[in-house]
Amino acid sequence: NHRAALRRLRLRLALRLRCEPAADGPSPLWRGRLSKQGRLSINEEHIDFPTLLAEALDHVWLARDVRAAAEALGVSTSQLCKLLSREPPALAWVNDLRRASGLPPLRV
């Protein structure tokens, strides 16, 4: 199935490629998915999910800290952890990053 293959490819790219996030804050796509209360609303099956996941991982990679990344993205730490936990390899990557820094893994 072509659609499923594209989705898997987009998720793989989101997990493996890191870019430095824009200095002016989250992308318009990210801001557009935030509610007025600062909650991120996205279903794992939505076409934008891999893009938002990549942006979240880019911020974690840059900050080397989940709390700082969440703040930069305008969401709570628990909201960011929830997003990461929806894609287990993403959460594993963040936990590997944390272990390398001597921090305990996230428990979600």
Side-chain angles (χ1 to χ4, degrees):
N1 185 330
H2 183 68
R3 256 177 96 174
L6 277 176
R7 183 182 188 297
R8 285 191 307 271
L9 175 62
R10 293 181 77 215
L11 279 171
R12 255 189 234 123
L13 290 172
L15 291 167
R16 294 187 182 169
L17 296 178
R18 298 281 60 84
C19 302
E20 190 166 330
D24 61 347
S27 69
L29 176 64
W30 184 280
R31 288 191 304 261
R33 301 298 300 189
L34 289 179
S35 71
K36 291 180 183 176
Q37 294 78 27
R39 293 193 179 260
L40 185 64
S41 174
I42 185 81
N43 184 294
E44 299 86 39
E45 298 302 318
H46 194 279
I47 193 167
D48 291 337
F49 180 77
T51 306
L52 295 175
L53 181 64
E55 185 168 356
L57 291 172
D58 288 345
H59 278 273
V60 171
W61 173 72
L62 180 68
R64 298 286 196 261
D65 178 54
V66 175
R67 182 175 291 143
E71 187 176 308
L73 290 165
V75 296
S76 68
T77 304
S78 62
Q79 281 285 300
L80 182 54
C81 289
K82 182 179 175 184
L83 174 70
L84 296 170
S85 70
R86 290 180 181 173
E87 186 61 30
L91 185 59
W93 180 84
V94 170
N95 281 332
D96 288 345
L97 192 65
R98 289 175 59 83
R99 275 188 211 97
S101 299
L103 298 169
L106 296 172
R107 289 178 290 173
V108 200

